[in-house]
Every structure is written in structure tokens, then in C-alpha cells.
Amino acid sequence: MIEIQNISVKLDDFKTDYSLYVDNGEWIGIIGQSGSGKSTLLNLIAGFIYADTGSIRINSMEINSMHPSERPVSCLFQENNLFPHLSVYENIAIGISPSLKLNASEKKQVQDTLNYLNLSDKSNSDIGILSGGERQRVAIGRIVLSNKKILLLDEPFSQLDPNLRIEMLNLMRKIRDEKQLTIIMVLHTPVEAVSYVDRFIQIKNGRINRNIKPAEYSLEIS
Amino acid sequence: MRKYNWLIPGLLASFLILVIIIVSLFGIIKYSSFKLILEIINDRYIQSIIYFTIYQSLISCFLSILIALPLALTIQKYVKYRLVKIVLSLAWLSFISPVIIGVFAIIKLHGISGWISGVSLFVTGEKLEYIYGFNGILIAHIFFNVPFALRMILGSLNTIPNELWRVAIQNNLNRWQLFKILEWPAIRNNILITSAIIFCLCFTSFVVVLILGGGPKYSIIEVAIYYALKIEFNIDRAVALGITQIALASFLALLILSFTKNYRIEPYTKINLKIPNLQSNNYKILTYDIFIILVGIAVFLLPIIALIVSCLKVINFYSLIGNTGLLNSLYWTIILGFSSGILSVLLSIMLLMTLKILILKYKIKWLAVMIELSGNLILILPPILLATGIFLSLRNIFNIQQIAPYVIIGINCLTTIPFSIRILGSDYIRISSIYSRLFDAYNIKGLSRILKYEIPMMRSSIATSLAISVTLSMGDLGVISLFGSTDIRTLPLYIYQSLGSYRMDNAAEGILLLLILTTSIIFIAEQIFGEKK
Amino acid sequence: MKLYIKTLLIILVSINISHSNEKLTVYTYDSFVAEWGPGPLLEEKFEKECNCDLELIGLSDGVEILTRIMYEGKNTNADVVLGLDSNLLYRARDTNLFNLHNIDITNLAISNRFDDDIFVPFDYGYFSFIYDSMSISEPPKSFDDLLQSNNLRIIIQDPRTSTPGLGLLLWIKDIYGSKAPEVWAKLGEKIVTVTPGWSEAYGLFLDGEADMVLSYTTSPAYHITYENDYRYKAAHFIEGHYEQIEVAAKLKNTQNDKIADKFLKFIISKEAQDILPTTQWMYPVILEADLPESYDQLIKIENPLRIEPEEIFLNNEQWIREWESSLSN
């Protein structure tokens, strides 16, 4: 579980102060206006920004001063998740071996991941020829392979068309269930995620304003 | 027909550039003889010169990149600091300083009576003599070219999207893997292009090789051209040597460029310089970083500081007041420098307007290559021969004295276009690729797209390229001394004339004034215009 | 500021136009026309005398004057050239572009060794090595001395790009003849560097990069006159010193033959010659010209050395090759 207590960092126009408690296996959708500090929360958890004060504990372990690579966390961004000069295979393989020198069992793991995500025929492809959805699948493949239990997604599907977005959400649900992942996801179009997330949290001026149950959210907007 | 309007600016700029080169060719073409070229390349002496020309250019170019690369990798972590930004702006000074002034600066630091030798004398009781000879040629070429390579590499590192840094860090890539997987692919092409440019610059670097080479043991083709043209009055030979030089330089530059690769890259939308957690509190890394940055400063800033100190020693402040000769030179330096600098940036933008559409939209590679080549052609032409060619073709039509300012502006503009294109290019293409759909959606096109949208967005790279073209032109001595008339005298010419008449104090005044002028231009451009959002 | 200079230029130009009927164009070199050179003073005096407009055009160096004339051929704008090096005279004469001068030059200071019907000498000097007497108490007394010395370091100029450089090459050739290559090989050990022109060499010398620099016996006079500094001296070599004579000539195709003649006469008049020693730092060609006191301090050269221009012309390339290979080991 993730316990966040009053982590604060001073940004250009405001100071954040987040407190949040997430169960293992929970899927959280973050909503809020742009500039409200949604991505900042993810950056703090991932360690791309260090908090000035407060504490972040994952399964009772304090991670606030840990290097991003040591945290049991991986990220998926809206774009630029892939190294343009590496093949699909290599982009995924980085998840277990940054040196790209894989032993037999690691090779098998990569191959399994490719199969799992229906990417095996694209294994040696150039990133440039992939469609937007395929690219995000490759990035998900890497995340799956890195075997980190907490997934932070920053509007990962907002550039895809609506049908594809639903497809990707289904894929995420399947992966979460099979790998028992905890997901915190910044949402571009929350309404689509209503039937996927366990709860929404709304962020306003660098603070968590309130928790919303998916059902309430549906009511609110309708 | 309207459909092809976008071709006009690039082709027009290419045409204007080629006109100057063709005018020059016209003046010397009748002297070219294939037989003489064969004779020349079979001459053992010329062969040894050719060998050395290639050898020194390759080594100089390799070392410049070798020093610029770790410097860029280190400095990228600190570019957000004001002090580092200022150091980066000052670094341009060694790139734009006139060769003769740069060489004097190097000698003030590295010479037998230079600072380093002085320290050695104090410590060991012996002076050091290492600057005259092959070392000196290399040190000078590193001094002149590292800042350029540094800025080019930093520019490419800048295009690595923030997300990729995060992915890399999250996946625990070590320093070598970061370089191999993240940084090298981003800078590879630019390093090769920059290498080709530096290679060409060293290929014709005649004053450096003569003064610091220590004697005729080290000679380059350009010296032989100069000798044939001016002392022997043998244009045929000069042209044959020139053609040999052009063939070699273009072959080798293209060879270097053939290693470039095309990656299909997603257009980057977010470029910012906040590299997550690269800054380390690790004591060892910090020490290494500081060491590398100090080495950089020693390479490109210390010689200039040594020069300033020695100028301040001999300068006579009283004689400065009312020195109309100096002020008149300042006036011409500003007029000619800004004219050719502005023209250079204009032509570069015109070239890029067409280039970006060719590259991004139509993917007509050969035409793109031709247009880009026209802007860079000047790099492989022997400067003395180019100027002589122009002189020979124009002298029957015009009074050279009367058109001198225009010729000077034209040639200097041409010499700076390759650098303007480099500085502007990646920024322009990046901005176009990000916003092209937006522009199309709102039907923003033609001149208003360029003037109201693209140029304001490229503000900082335009400021830099303008500053560099202007200050590079201001430092010209070669063209102005060939075409200058009595009325037109720029600061470098003033400095050279002073040196030629025992007047070290006047030379020092000129050097300081030129340094103040160029520093202010670069500073205003980069630290004020380039910074505003 | 700009406005000020612009108006100044306009006024200057308009004054010239209003006062002058005819214009004489003279090609010379840069340092001649600089404000501290003889150009401005000569121009003022000559324009007053001839009621004409004298236009001095400064080219990059003495070699460039001839090059430019050869490139321009018969269409040249120049009426007169000023500042050719005597070593280049054969080639200059060979162009057939210059005209006879019709001036009596038999009573000049150098008439015992220079006579020519085309070229009018206007100043001369001797090459020598300059040293700083504060750091060298016993300068070499001959070329042999210099070659034998252990730790003297010198800076010279490149004969392929500069006239003093060519001067040294001829100097050594004249003394040592066929042994010149060996002398150069030995001299090579003393050479710090070889610069493209005089300016760089002298600048480096003043910066302390070498003990001696190839220059003229008259160089110390500048330091004495303008800096009251007596430390710089010319080393007196017993083998003799090579002489450089600078000449002027008029072009065949000049439209202003009379004024050109007038100018050539003027340039060897006392009025003009008085100016040269403290602007050109060379000796005037007439004995009556005023010499500043600083010239008393200079070494006196009795029997200057000189090689005939024709011989230079015929052997130039071979000697240069010889020079290159002797210094390339």
C-alpha cells in the first residue's frame, strides 16, 4: 500500500501538500484542471521531484529520498516513451536489462511479453512505423517486464482515438488483474474510465480536494 | 502554381548564394587546366602538403569533438544556472574572434612568455616551449572550434524529450548506457555534421598553420595557393591547386557525412532543460563535473583573458579620447558586420523555409540536400581563390573601389550562412513539425505564418545566429584586406595596420574595442533577447 | 556619433571635389595610408602643390600592389604605384605596364648602387635582427656568430608570403651561395616560428616570444622617438646587411601623365622625404632630408648587399623550394 503524508514541494506558483492512501491493487483516477498539480503528484511518487517535507511510504518502506530507479514504480507518459533508434524488442528488453545483453531466460521473458501484447510480429520493427496504440503497447510491455508493482500513468492514451482508448483501458485492466498492480492514472477524459477505476481523486491547487466514487462521478456529470 | 510557392524562398536564396560563387568561378575558370592538376598531384612536394593538410584537419576536428563532447554532457546538467549560461555565451568569443587575434590570445597563454610558461618558470626555473609546431596548430584549432562543437552538441542534447530521460532513469541505466542509448543517438548526426564543418575550417586554416606551425615543415594547400597567386602570379597553378583542394575537402566532408543515420523520430512536443535527478550530490561526480567545466574554460576563455590583461597593460587611455581613426573603424565594423549578419540570417531562414517542407512534407531528399549544400558550399572553397575570382570577374564591369562594401558584405554573409543554418535549423524544423497541424487547421500560412508565429517562436535561436553571423563578419580580415579601400576600415584592419606600424598600443585599443563590441552583441542577443519568453 | 562621422566624411569629400580638377590614383600599401603613416601628410602637401585630387589606395601589402596591377593589366585605375620592393623589379618591368620616369635620379643617396629608368626609389633600409639589449648583452656580431650561438631564439617571416622573409632568404643566399641550405638547416634550430608577415613577427618579438626578430636596422628609431625606449637594438653583422629599396613608378596607361610625373618628382623632394623617416621608419633617398635624432643611435651600414632582380626572378622558385626542404627536417 502507498501512504502519502503531507508531502510538499514548492513550485512556481503554489506549494503542494498531498496526503493520500492507496491500497494494493487499487486503481486510482486523478482528475482536476490543468495546472492543478496532477503530474506533480506522479513525479513526487516516481522521484523525479524530491519532496521538501513529508513522507511517502510503500509497503511501510520510506521512499522519499530514494533514487527513481530504486522505487518499485514505473511510468507511462503520453508520448516519447520509446527510444527512437531501438527496435521494439530492444525497447522492451531495457525493462529487465539496461545493457541489452540478455541471457536465455531473459530472452524468453521478452518474447513472452511480446506474445502477450500481440507484438511478436513487430519484434524487429523500427519505432517510427508503429501506430500510436502500438507504441503505447510496447511501452506497457517494458513496464510489465520491469516487474514493478506500482504503475503511474500520465494521460497515456489521450492521443489515441476513443475506440482505441477503451481497448487500451481493457488491456490495462487485464494486466492489473493478472500482475496484481496498483495503478495511479491521470485522466484526460475521466468519463471513459468510470467503469475501470476504483475511485477518482480530484486535485485542486496542489491539494487533494476530495475522493469521488465512480458512481457519484457519473451522477455528477449527468 | 500557387501550390509550389513554398519553393520560392529556398530556391531564391540558393540562387543568390550561387550567383556569388558562379561570379567567382567565371573569373578563374579560363585558367583551369586538367593537365596541370595531374601534374600537381604527381608532385611529391604537393603530395606531402596534401597529406599534412588532411592529417592536421582530421586530428584537429577529432580532438575538438573529443573535448566538446564530455564538456557538453556535463554542462547540460547545469545550463539552468545563470553563471553557466554566461560562460556559454562567452565561449562564442573564441569561435568568432579574428584568427590573428585568436592566435595572439593563444600565444599570451601558451607562448614561451605566456602565462603557463610563466608558472613553469616560477616553479621549475624553466620556460616552456610547446606551442610552436604541430601542438600549436592543434591547440589553436581546438580553441577556435570547441565552442562551436559544444553549442551544437548541447543543442542536440536539448532535443531529447524529458519523458525519455525519465524512462531511462527509472530503468536504471548507468552513465555509459545513458550515453549509448539516450544521448548518442540524439547527437550522432549533429556531431558528424559539425565534424564535417570543423574539418573544412581546419582545411583552409592558413594563418594558424603559418604562425603556430613553426616553419615550412607544416604547410597546407592554402599556403601553396596563396604563394602561387600572389608571389608567383601563376593563376593556372593556383586554380589547379584550388580544384585539388575542393575535390579533397568535399570528398572527405561527404565521407564524414555518409555516417549520418536517419531515425524516424516522433516530433517532440516538450522540450525543457530540467533533466531529472541528473544532478548528483555525489561528491565524486561533482568533482569530475567541476574539473571538466574548468578544462573547458581553460581551453576557450583563458587565452582571451590573457589577451585582455596584456592589452590593458599597453593601452594608453588618454590617446583613446579623440582617436577618430579608431571610432571610424568602429563605425564601419558595425555597418558591415550588421549588414552581412542580417543578410546571412535572412537567407538562412529562406533556405530553411523550403527545406523544412521538403523534409517534413514531401520527403524529396535530393532537392533538400542540394539546397542545404548550396548554403554550405562556401566551406570547401579556398577563400583566397574565391575572392580573386570575384575580383577578376567584376573588375571589368565595376569600379572595385566603389562596390567594395557590397562585395565585402556579400562574401562575409556567405561565410556565415553555414553557421546560421546550423544554429537555426533544428529549432525551425522542430517548431514546424510540432505546430504544422495547428497552423494548417487555422489556415495560417505564407508570410504571416513566418513573421507572426514561427519567427517569434524561434526567437532565441535567431538571436544567437544573428549574433554569431554579425560578430563573425565583424572579425573578418581576409576579405576586407583584399577589397577594402582607403575609406573603409574595420577594427580588425585597424588592428592589423597598427601591428604593421610598430603601434602596439593602438592595436591593443582596437582589440579591446572589438572584444567589447562582440561581447556586448552576443550578450544582448543571448542573455536578454534569447531569454525572454 | 554615426551622424557626426558621416557629415565629416561628406564634408571631406565635398572639399576634395570643390578644390580639384584632376585626380591621381596611387596604389600603395595599408600602413602607408594609415593616419600615422606618411599618406595623409603627403596627400595634403601634394594636393596643395598640384591643385589636384590625390587618391591613395592602400592594398594589403607591397606584394599585393604588383599582383593587383598584373591582374588589372591595362585597365587598371592606378596612375602610379608606390611601395614596390626592389626584389620584385624584374617581374614588374616584365609586365610592360610601367612607363619611363624622365627624372634625374643620379644624385640620390643610393645612386651608386641603384639606377633605373622606370622605377624611382623613395626610401630604403637594411634588414637586420633586432634584439632587446636589456636581456642580451652580447649580441651576435655576424651570421656565423648567430649560427654558433647556443641559446638564441629568433622569429623570421615566410619568404613565400612576405618581403622581409624574402629579404632574409636573399641575404643568406648572397652571403653563403650554394651553402645556403646548410645554413638554413642550422638556423632552423634557432627559429621559434616563421610568420606570414612582418607584423605578426614583430608583435610576437615584443611579447617576448623570441630573443631576436628579423626587421630593419631602423626599427629601434621608432622606440626611441615615440617611446623614449633605448633597449631595442639592431645586431650589426660583419658579413653585411641586405638592402631593401622601395620604389614608385607610373603606369603607361595613365590619363594624367603630367600629374603622375609631378608626383614622382614630389616623392623625392625634400618636402616629402622629410616625412618618411618618422612615418615609414626607412631612410630617405636624398641626403638633404631631415633625420630625427633617434637615427644617430642606429648602426651604420657601409656596404649593403643586394642581388640583381633578374637573378632573383630566375631562381626564386628554386630557392624557395630549397628553403622549404632545408627547414623541413
Side-chain angles (χ1 to χ4, degrees):
Chain A
M1 74 193 113
I2 310 172
E3 297 161 277
I4 297 172
Q5 273 172 3
N6 297 97
I7 46 169
S8 74
V9 63
K10 214 180 156 318
L11 294 174
D12 293 339
D13 40 357
F14 61 85
K15 209 177 148 185
T16 69
D17 185 359
Y18 301 113
S19 293
L20 179 66
Y21 183 91
V22 184
D23 265 331
N24 282 341
E26 204 177 359
W27 185 337
I28 306 263
I30 302 179
I31 56 176
Q33 288 175 338
S34 61
S36 58
K38 291 173 293 185
S39 300
T40 309
L41 176 58
L42 297 194
N43 285 335
L44 281 163
I45 300 172
F48 298 134
I49 305 174
Y50 286 116
D52 299 334
T53 58
S55 101
I56 309 176
R57 285 142 69 93
I58 294 179
N59 294 333
S60 309
M61 181 175 61
E62 177 62 53
I63 61 156
N64 198 11
S65 53
M66 274 186 186
H67 190 262
S69 65
E70 295 166 338
R71 304 185 184 204
V73 160
S74 53
C75 290
L76 180 65
F77 305 102
Q78 188 175 347
E79 57 185 351
N80 298 323
N81 290 292
L82 305 179
F83 297 93
H85 64 291
L86 297 183
S87 68
V88 168
Y89 183 92
E90 289 168 318
N91 261 298
I92 292 179
I94 277 187
I96 36 173
S97 170
S99 66
L100 294 175
K101 292 183 185 107
L102 293 95
N103 60 32
S105 88
E106 285 168 337
K107 280 181 185 162
K108 188 173 176 304
Q109 284 182 56
V110 176
Q111 199 53 54
D112 289 346
T113 311
L114 283 165
N115 295 339
Y116 181 75
L117 291 164
N118 273 333
L119 286 165
S120 42
D121 57 326
K122 297 252 161 48
S123 172
N124 290 317
S125 296
D126 194 17
I127 295 304
I129 61 159
L130 298 185
S131 70
E134 284 168 333
R135 284 182 203 199
Q136 294 306 68
R137 283 220 304 274
V138 175
I140 291 167
R142 177 167 61 218
I143 289 167
V144 168
L145 202 60
S146 68
N147 207 21
K148 291 182 174 174
K149 289 295 175 196
I150 296 166
L151 205 51
L152 307 172
L153 301 114
D154 197 348
E155 301 188 15
F157 311 130
S158 56
Q159 291 202 333
L160 308 178
D161 65 59
N163 292 332
L164 204 52
R165 284 209 289 270
I166 300 299
E167 202 179 294
M168 295 306 284
L169 284 169
N170 286 330
L171 177 65
M172 288 316 299
R173 179 151 66 191
K174 184 176 157 218
I175 293 170
R176 180 194 61 161
D177 293 345
E178 287 177 18
K179 309 270 172 186
Q180 287 144 19
L181 301 179
T182 305
I183 298 180
I184 302 177
M185 181 177 191
V186 174
L187 290 163
H188 181 64
T189 38
V191 64
E192 290 169 355
V194 165
S195 54
Y196 296 88
V197 301
D198 299 315
R199 70 177 143 124
F200 289 108
I201 57 174
Q202 188 187 46
I203 289 185
K204 207 172 178 184
N205 295 330
R207 286 163 191 279
I208 291 168
N209 195 31
R210 59 182 180 135
N211 285 288
I212 313 168
K213 293 210 172 83
E216 286 172 22
Y217 186 80
S218 306
L219 275 176
E220 226 171 86
I221 52 172
S222 62
Chain B
M1 211 41 226
R2 275 191 78 82
K3 218 178 127 199
Y4 295 102
N5 271 352
W6 54 271
L7 268 173
I8 295 172
L11 291 180
L12 183 66
S14 276
F15 174 75
L16 289 175
I17 291 166
L18 288 176
V19 160
I20 302 187
I21 293 174
I22 288 167
V23 162
S24 169
L25 282 181
F26 196 71
I28 50 177
I29 197 78
K30 61 172 178 245
Y31 298 100
S32 65
S33 132
F34 187 64
K35 215 181 110 216
L36 202 58
I37 297 175
L38 286 181
E39 210 173 281
I40 276 171
I41 52 178
N42 281 319
D43 179 334
R44 293 253 339 251
Y45 175 70
I46 298 290
Q47 278 170 1
S48 73
I49 291 182
I50 289 177
Y51 168 77
F52 181 71
T53 310
I54 296 173
Y55 179 70
Q56 66 88 10
S57 313
L58 280 178
I59 305 256
S60 301
C61 159
F62 177 72
L63 288 178
S64 302
I65 299 288
L66 200 68
I67 292 175
L69 184 59
L71 201 52
L73 294 178
T74 300
I75 283 186
Q76 65 170 333
K77 298 187 249 177
Y78 305 99
V79 272
K80 63 178 174 190
Y81 296 110
R82 191 80 199 179
L83 193 65
V84 176
K85 279 184 193 161
I86 290 173
V87 168
L88 280 174
S89 282
L90 289 177
W92 278 125
L93 282 181
S94 70
F95 178 66
I96 57 104
S97 65
V99 183
I100 178 76
I101 292 179
V103 167
F104 269 99
I106 287 168
I107 289 170
K108 299 281 183 199
L109 180 67
H110 296 283
I112 298 171
S113 297
W115 284 14
I116 293 177
S117 184
V119 172
S120 162
L121 186 67
F122 183 72
V123 177
T124 66
E126 298 249 343
K127 286 188 170 187
L128 290 178
E129 185 180 340
Y130 58 88
I131 193 70
Y132 301 102
F134 193 47
N135 292 341
I137 297 173
L138 295 182
I139 290 176
H141 285 158
I142 288 169
F143 167 81
F144 286 117
N145 295 315
V146 160
F148 174 63
L150 171 65
R151 292 298 286 260
M152 292 299 106
I153 299 173
L154 274 178
S156 293
L157 285 172
N158 228 343
T159 63
I160 299 174
N162 220 346
E163 291 94 336
L164 269 189
W165 276 109
R166 296 179 173 193
V167 170
I169 286 166
Q170 207 158 53
N171 285 289
N172 205 16
L173 270 60
N174 63 29
R175 191 67 196 89
W176 166 245
Q177 289 159 350
L178 272 180
F179 176 70
K180 200 179 95 183
I181 294 178
L182 190 64
E183 293 165 328
W184 176 244
I187 57 182
R188 181 197 162 108
N189 279 0
N190 209 353
I191 281 194
L192 288 166
I193 297 169
T194 307
S195 300
I197 292 178
I198 294 177
F199 177 81
C200 292
L201 293 177
C202 297
F203 213 82
T204 54
S205 171
F206 140 78
V207 176
V208 166
V209 171
L210 278 188
I211 300 186
L212 293 175
K217 188 176 173 183
Y218 300 120
S219 191
I220 57 174
I221 308 173
E222 190 79 10
V223 177
I225 297 178
Y226 185 93
Y227 178 68
L229 216 49
K230 286 192 67 177
I231 311 277
E232 284 185 320
F233 190 68
N234 189 340
I235 308 186
D236 300 22
R237 188 177 159 84
V239 170
L241 283 164
I243 293 173
T244 313
Q245 167 158 329
I246 291 169
L248 282 170
S250 49
F251 172 73
L252 289 160
L254 290 174
L255 189 71
I256 296 175
L257 292 178
S258 71
F259 290 102
T260 53
K261 272 187 188 168
N262 274 328
Y263 300 121
R264 293 203 225 176
I265 298 174
E266 310 172 48
Y268 304 131
T269 48
K270 285 181 203 156
I271 309 287
N272 66 46
L273 294 167
K274 285 178 213 147
I275 298 165
N277 295 348
L278 255 188
Q279 251 153 304
S280 172
N281 298 325
N282 184 324
Y283 178 71
K284 262 190 204 159
I285 294 181
L286 201 65
T287 316
Y288 166 83
D289 286 354
I290 290 172
F291 172 74
I292 289 285
I293 293 176
L294 287 179
V295 167
I297 289 175
V299 166
F300 49 69
L301 268 182
L302 216 48
I304 294 194
I305 295 170
L307 180 69
I308 292 173
V309 170
S310 84
C311 284
L312 286 174
K313 275 188 208 156
V314 294
I315 195 173
N316 181 353
F317 284 99
Y318 293 107
S319 77
L320 267 178
I321 304 158
N323 186 342
T324 48
L326 188 66
L327 292 176
N328 188 30
S329 309
L330 177 66
Y331 167 77
W332 277 110
T333 309
I334 292 172
I335 295 287
L336 294 180
F338 272 96
S339 308
S340 65
I342 289 169
L343 195 61
S344 161
V345 172
L346 272 179
L347 287 175
S348 303
I349 291 179
M350 284 166 70
L351 284 176
L352 288 167
M353 279 163 68
T354 301
L355 263 181
K356 61 147 203 225
I357 295 176
L358 280 174
I359 293 172
L360 295 175
K361 201 167 172 185
Y362 292 92
K363 302 193 164 63
I364 309 174
K365 206 179 164 193
W366 67 269
L367 191 57
V369 168
M370 295 306 286
I371 289 182
E372 194 171 353
L373 214 59
S374 71
N376 288 304
L377 205 55
I378 187 81
L379 285 169
I380 57 160
L381 299 176
I384 300 168
L385 206 55
L386 177 84
T388 305
I390 290 175
F391 178 81
L392 287 177
S393 2
L394 293 185
R395 69 182 170 85
N396 290 328
I397 312 167
F398 302 101
N399 180 351
I400 294 286
Q401 294 295 319
Q402 276 162 6
I403 59 160
Y406 307 102
V407 177
I408 295 167
I409 289 170
I411 301 182
N412 280 333
C413 160
L414 225 60
T415 356
T416 56
I417 282 179
F419 308 110
S420 302
I421 294 181
R422 282 285 84 211
I423 296 168
L424 289 171
S426 52
D427 207 22
Y428 195 11
I429 289 178
R430 182 176 62 80
I431 283 171
S432 300
S433 68
I434 297 171
Y435 296 101
S436 66
R437 269 177 285 176
L438 198 64
F439 290 142
D440 291 344
Y442 289 95
N443 202 20
I444 301 166
K445 56 186 178 188
L447 263 186
S448 75
R449 172 160 162 180
I450 305 278
L451 295 178
K452 290 195 186 137
Y453 295 89
E454 291 177 332
I455 287 180
M457 280 192 274
M458 293 161 62
R459 173 186 189 118
S460 102
S461 55
I462 288 182
T464 299
S465 69
L466 191 61
I468 297 313
S469 326
V470 168
T471 49
L472 259 180
S473 310
M474 285 178 166
D476 161 68
L477 184 60
V479 181
I480 184 109
S481 63
L482 261 176
F483 288 98
S485 62
T486 314
D487 304 331
I488 302 173
R489 184 172 58 174
T490 58
L491 283 171
L493 205 54
Y494 176 89
I495 295 162
Y496 200 72
Q497 280 183 9
S498 307
L499 277 176
S501 325
Y502 299 95
R503 312 226 160 211
M504 300 300 146
D505 47 347
N506 289 356
E509 289 162 15
I511 290 173
L512 285 178
L513 193 58
L514 185 65
L515 279 174
I516 292 170
L517 178 65
T518 49
T519 313
S520 326
I521 290 171
I522 293 174
F523 246 73
I524 290 170
E526 291 209 326
Q527 306 289 333
I528 299 175
F529 281 105
E531 284 289 298
K532 275 189 201 159
K533 286 276 152 64
Chain C
M1 189 64 247
K2 279 182 200 167
L3 203 70
Y4 163 68
I5 292 168
K6 258 189 189 161
T7 31
L8 206 70
L9 281 176
I10 292 167
I11 292 168
L12 279 176
V13 169
S14 55
I15 288 173
N16 281 343
I17 292 167
S18 58
H19 278 254
S20 58
N21 321 324
E22 285 161 298
K23 192 169 106 176
L24 189 74
T25 303
V26 177
Y27 282 6
T28 180
Y29 46 77
D30 260 349
S31 55
F32 200 93
V33 299
E35 55 263 48
W36 47 75
L41 279 171
L42 291 179
E43 191 173 338
E44 192 190 326
K45 293 195 179 207
F46 184 67
E47 282 178 353
K48 214 182 275 170
E49 194 182 304
C50 75
N51 191 29
C52 62
D53 178 19
L54 177 66
E55 188 186 25
L56 290 169
I57 291 174
L59 306 174
S60 56
D61 54 38
V63 182
E64 178 70 17
I65 301 173
L66 183 57
T67 315
R68 183 67 67 95
I69 292 291
M70 288 171 90
Y71 283 133
E72 292 182 341
K74 290 187 173 157
N75 301 327
T76 181
N77 295 321
D79 299 306
V80 170
V81 295
L82 187 70
L84 287 179
D85 175 0
S86 48
N87 293 323
L88 301 172
L89 291 194
Y90 189 87
R91 171 171 290 147
R93 178 184 285 271
D94 204 37
T95 60
N96 220 10
L97 293 168
F98 298 100
N99 208 346
L100 304 177
H101 58 58
N102 311 318
I103 296 173
D104 177 18
I105 56 165
T106 53
N107 287 320
L108 302 180
I110 51 168
S111 293
N112 62 345
R113 52 190 186 269
F114 186 92
D115 185 24
D116 200 289
D117 51 0
I118 288 181
F119 301 103
V120 180
F122 66 90
D123 66 16
Y124 67 103
Y126 312 103
F127 292 115
S128 82
F129 285 95
I130 302 295
Y131 65 96
D132 179 354
S133 61
M134 307 270 271
S135 48
I136 293 175
S137 49
E138 288 192 18
K141 293 186 168 57
S142 64
F143 249 112
D144 280 338
D145 245 15
L146 173 62
L147 294 174
Q148 302 304 326
S149 73
N150 283 326
N151 44 15
L152 279 180
R153 306 303 310 275
I154 60 171
I155 293 178
I156 63 164
Q157 297 85 0
D158 197 318
R160 294 169 299 181
T161 51
S162 82
T163 43
L166 183 61
L168 178 62
L169 183 135
L170 299 173
W171 188 4
I172 288 181
K173 197 79 209 173
D174 201 19
I175 298 174
Y176 293 99
S178 60
K179 283 201 178 130
E182 294 150 49
V183 172
W184 273 110
K186 220 167 178 185
L187 197 63
E189 298 161 17
K190 325 263 174 240
I191 294 173
V192 172
T193 193
V194 182
T195 65
W198 178 89
S199 315
E200 299 93 354
Y202 207 79
L204 291 182
F205 165 70
L206 291 182
D207 274 351
E209 290 295 294
D211 301 307
M212 304 209 290
V213 63
L214 179 71
S215 186
Y216 299 89
T217 58
T218 39
S219 298
Y222 173 85
H223 301 284
I224 296 171
T225 309
Y226 277 93
E227 296 164 351
N228 199 24
D229 193 345
Y230 288 76
R231 67 202 285 188
Y232 298 108
K233 294 199 158 75
H236 201 160
F237 283 3
I238 52 169
E239 293 96 338
H241 288 250
Y242 197 85
E243 185 174 44
Q244 181 184 33
I245 300 171
E246 290 193 284
V247 303
K250 73 175 176 186
L251 276 296
K252 269 187 182 157
N253 276 46
T254 172
Q255 306 291 314
N256 303 307
D257 204 51
K258 279 196 181 137
I259 310 178
D261 279 341
K262 233 185 219 174
F263 183 74
L264 290 181
K265 271 200 189 103
F266 168 76
I267 196 77
I268 55 167
S269 69
K270 181 165 168 18
E271 206 179 1
Q273 289 282 308
D274 281 347
I275 297 170
L276 297 179
T278 51
T279 49
Q280 284 283 82
W281 304 101
M282 297 283 267
Y283 284 105
V285 290
I286 58 168
L287 295 162
E288 310 84 71
D290 295 339
L291 281 178
E293 278 174 29
S294 56
Y295 273 61
D296 299 341
Q297 306 285 326
L298 304 177
I299 57 169
K300 304 277 178 292
I301 306 301
E302 299 298 336
N303 293 309
L305 307 174
R306 232 179 120 233
I307 298 181
E308 280 309 307
E310 185 177 0
E311 199 186 339
I312 299 170
F313 177 75
L314 294 174
N315 293 297
N316 195 316
E317 198 180 340
Q318 189 212 328
W319 289 348
I320 293 272
R321 282 292 173 96
E322 201 176 276
W323 175 82
E324 282 168 340
S325 64
S326 323
L327 281 183
S328 291
N329 298 311

